[in-house]
Amino acid sequence: QAQLVESGGGLVQPGGSLRLSCAASGGTLDAYTTIGWFRQAPGREREGVSVIINRGGSTYYTDSVKGRFTISRDNAKNTMYLEMNMLRPEDTAVYYCAASSMAIATMYPFEVSSYDSWGQGTQVTVSS
């Protein structure tokens, strides 16, 4: 399994932007069925934000980030990104990248249990 390392989090004002990166080592992101971003706010369950189904390249977003966030990957750099624009205070959370070697992730891409590789997380705080 690849090791996943997130970066790019930080403090940003409402309406601002951040780009998160997820670098993989010891394996390639395109070897997985599904890769994506999750987040967990204090006192709340981890939730799926955006995913890429590697076969076909379809992307999916949770409703609250549609039109604001964009997921992408660079196979040459073995890195996945999450471009976050028009950030809101409710986007504040620890953001995790995840990868799944399981076919079930293509059917349930926003289920935490569908993923078997996780990064350590990066904090995103949206506040004035």
Side-chain angles (χ1 to χ4, degrees):
Q1 289 184 340
Q3 286 191 318
L4 307 176
V5 179
E6 303 96 334
S7 61
L11 172 64
V12 63
Q13 292 187 342
S17 299
L18 282 174
R19 187 177 80 156
L20 304 183
S21 299
C22 173
S25 61
T28 57
L29 288 175
D30 61 5
Y32 290 92
T33 63
T34 309
I35 56 176
W37 292 93
F38 286 70
R39 65 186 179 186
Q40 188 166 18
R44 301 189 65 175
E45 293 185 353
R46 192 171 297 189
E47 64 170 353
V49 176
S50 182
V51 302
I52 299 174
I53 308 297
N54 274 338
R55 186 173 183 178
S58 296
T59 58
Y60 298 91
Y61 299 88
T62 193
D63 286 345
S64 63
V65 308
K66 285 179 181 177
R68 300 188 298 123
F69 291 11
T70 303
I71 191 171
S72 63
R73 66 170 185 227
D74 185 331
N75 288 339
K77 295 182 178 180
N78 206 22
T79 299
M80 175 174 61
Y81 303 97
L82 186 67
E83 185 76 33
M84 305 186 295
N85 298 312
M86 296 182 285
L87 282 161
R88 305 167 180 169
E90 54 264 39
D91 295 318
T92 295
V94 177
Y95 283 70
Y96 299 89
C97 66
S100 177
S101 61
M102 299 181 284
I104 195 171
T106 65
M107 294 179 284
Y108 303 101
F110 286 145
E111 291 294 320
V112 171
S113 59
S114 294
Y115 293 81
D116 48 9
S117 294
W118 292 87
Q120 84 288 350
T122 185
Q123 177 70 47
V124 171
T125 302
V126 184
S127 175
S128 56

